[in-house]
Amino acid sequence: NSDIYGAFEGLGEIRLQDDFAAAVNRAWSESAQIPDGKDYTSARLEHDLENIALKIALIHGEKTDDPELTAMQTFFAQFLDWDTRNKISYQELKPYADDIMSISSIDELTAFFSDPNRNLYQYGPMIEGMVTPDDDDVFTNIMSICSPAMLSTTDSSFYTDEEDGAMRATYRRLCGYMLTRIGYSEEEAEELFNLCVAFEKKCAPAVDEYMQRMMREGEALARHNPMTVEEMETLYRNIPIRQICKGLGYELEGRVNEFMPSALRMYDTLYTAEHLEELKAWTLIHTVLLFQDYVDRDTFVFIAGLSGNKASVESRTVYEQSVLKTIYTLIPGMIDKLYAEYCFDPEIKVQMTELTQMMIDAYRVMLTEEEDWLS
């Protein structure tokens, strides 16, 4: 396999007809180095890292009268300020954890989910929502109600095996570490994690059903499940989705889309007083995990140890790359806008426009003039 690092060592001539990719890429492959913090390299990764380096250099540059750039520079500096983060991170998180665990009824849980000042996760983990164009009318936006948060949607053994596999063991250690840092005992942390997994285990078969449907029908079809808001309220008897969205600032009107209906409908059956303690533990675990990138350096070092990524601890460059990735998940539009204004080469746009037009022209010939088998 010519994609494996070091595969060319000791090999003689590679002919194009024997392995085209290996013959073309050999010179690059023999000189390429895997960057710190990565477990692979490629021409695409090299380009991405160059792009990231330009953005980081922009952030480290002089402050300007551009308020968006100044805000980004300040935000980035706060991530690098370990002294302040070490002092306040878990102190800030503890009141929110205590609030979740003080909930004593489903109505109180709904009130919590509906309050953006209390529910740091916003939609989730109860539901996750996103606004996208409606597949049936692309000029109209629609709210997609997504699946409940899960620790794993890809590893079926996560919920079926009696003993911890690698992924569940890693999550158990991480959650245990963060919960004890908040103030829970090791026994309490273990119980909370087990309650969270027990709740997700009930949802897991419905998630698997959706994944199978996606494989059969394709991702686009599986994700397209529109209905009116009124139909949604009739279908979901326990979860007051409309009320929660309204509390978070979204008025649901017209139609909504179920993103993972089998899992959502299973979750609706579990949104009851009988499962309140599991729901609270599940909410706490996912809220805590949401903050793994924002707390103190000891947590950062602990997580790096779990993943085996020592480079992220030892290399400032690798850490700054991870900071930029974290910020990008929060405010991607701002980073892209700043890159376009300060780093982007206008000539690239000319080249890409020409290339795109060539592709359009080629398709037009193929579709309308040459291929008589196409209707």
Side-chain angles (χ1 to χ4, degrees):
N1 183 346
S2 59
D3 287 334
I4 296 176
Y5 190 73
F8 298 109
E9 188 174 345
L11 292 183
E13 179 188 1
I14 301 175
R15 303 183 305 167
L16 288 169
Q17 59 267 46
D18 293 333
D19 188 335
F20 185 83
V24 171
N25 296 312
R26 181 172 189 168
W28 174 85
S29 298
E30 290 183 317
S31 62
Q33 298 293 319
I34 296 178
D36 287 341
K38 304 294 182 182
D39 55 9
Y40 75 99
T41 190
S42 67
R44 173 65 179 269
L45 178 63
E46 289 179 351
H47 175 75
D48 288 346
L49 291 177
E50 291 172 3
N51 184 285
I52 290 169
L54 285 173
K55 294 174 181 176
I56 292 175
L58 172 64
I59 293 171
H60 282 316
E62 294 183 5
K63 290 187 181 293
T64 68
D65 57 359
D66 183 340
E68 290 191 347
L69 178 56
T70 300
M72 181 62 67
Q73 291 170 328
T74 301
F75 197 23
F76 199 85
Q78 289 174 340
F79 272 92
L80 303 182
D81 181 7
W82 283 119
D83 290 339
T84 302
R85 289 174 62 179
N86 290 340
K87 291 177 184 177
I88 69 171
S89 57
Y90 280 100
Q91 295 175 27
E92 292 290 316
L93 188 54
K94 188 176 187 307
Y96 293 95
D98 291 344
D99 185 20
I100 293 169
M101 297 313 296
S102 71
I103 293 169
S104 60
S105 69
I106 284 293
D107 287 343
E108 288 185 16
L109 184 63
T110 296
F112 168 83
F113 283 138
S114 306
D115 189 340
N117 295 314
R118 298 172 64 197
N119 178 11
L120 296 176
Y121 211 109
Q122 295 299 291
Y123 294 105
M126 198 228 59
I127 52 171
E128 293 184 284
M130 59 182 181
V131 179
T132 62
D134 188 341
D135 285 350
D136 295 329
D137 177 10
V138 295
F139 297 104
T140 302
N141 286 339
I142 189 172
M143 172 74 84
S144 285
I145 309 298
C146 304
S147 64
M150 301 280 285
L151 293 174
S152 173
T153 57
T154 57
D155 181 5
S156 59
S157 66
F158 192 99
Y159 301 106
T160 56
D161 289 355
E162 290 296 323
E163 301 295 326
D164 281 353
M167 182 183 291
R168 195 164 74 193
T170 298
Y171 270 119
R172 187 183 298 278
R173 290 182 62 194
L174 175 57
C175 293
Y177 177 87
M178 296 188 72
L179 288 170
T180 53
R181 290 292 310 278
I182 290 173
Y184 295 96
S185 68
E186 291 184 3
E187 293 76 15
E188 289 170 331
E190 181 77 2
E191 181 183 3
L192 288 166
F193 182 80
N194 288 337
L195 284 169
C196 173
V197 172
F199 178 78
E200 293 188 14
K201 187 175 182 178
K202 297 179 178 71
C203 296
V207 174
D208 288 340
E209 179 187 325
Y210 171 81
M211 293 299 181
Q212 293 298 321
R213 180 188 168 198
M214 191 164 64
M215 292 178 65
R216 291 193 310 270
E217 301 177 8
E219 187 173 349
L221 282 176
R223 291 183 172 183
H224 184 55
N225 303 283
M227 65 178 63
T228 67
V229 173
E230 290 71 27
E231 288 171 335
M232 176 195 73
E233 292 186 306
T234 300
L235 183 63
Y236 290 92
R237 298 286 187 176
N238 294 324
I239 306 175
I241 296 176
R242 193 174 195 173
Q243 175 186 338
I244 291 171
C245 288
K246 184 175 182 179
L248 297 175
Y250 291 87
E251 292 281 358
L252 295 190
E253 299 176 352
R255 301 201 310 165
V256 294
N257 183 55
E258 292 179 293
F259 198 73
M260 194 181 285
S262 55
L264 277 169
R265 295 178 190 185
M266 174 60 72
Y267 176 44
D268 184 67
T269 68
L270 301 172
Y271 196 74
T272 64
E274 178 186 355
H275 301 98
L276 181 61
E277 293 307 311
E278 289 181 351
L279 285 162
K280 287 163 56 178
W282 175 58
T283 302
L284 176 62
I285 291 292
H286 282 280
T287 300
V288 168
L289 289 176
L290 184 70
F291 278 80
Q292 59 186 289
D293 291 332
Y294 307 102
V295 282
D296 62 11
R297 182 169 174 81
D298 286 346
T299 306
F300 173 70
V301 173
F302 181 83
I303 293 171
L306 289 177
S307 64
N309 187 6
K310 291 184 178 180
S312 62
V313 175
E314 299 168 354
S315 168
R316 181 182 175 91
T317 298
V318 173
Y319 176 62
E320 289 187 347
Q321 291 170 355
S322 71
V323 168
L324 192 71
K325 182 179 179 180
T326 299
I327 294 177
Y328 195 88
T329 64
L330 300 171
I331 43 175
M334 183 182 288
I335 294 177
D336 289 341
K337 182 172 181 288
L338 292 171
Y339 176 81
E341 289 181 3
Y342 292 95
C343 305
F344 185 69
D345 179 0
E347 276 301 306
I348 297 296
K349 184 174 182 178
V350 175
Q351 295 175 33
M352 288 306 300
T353 302
E354 292 176 353
L355 177 60
T356 304
Q357 189 59 52
M358 289 168 61
M359 294 169 64
I360 293 171
D361 291 344
Y363 274 116
R364 179 173 287 113
V365 171
M366 181 183 73
L367 294 171
T368 63
E369 298 177 17
E370 292 185 350
E371 306 295 352
D372 55 12
W373 56 271
L374 285 171
S375 64

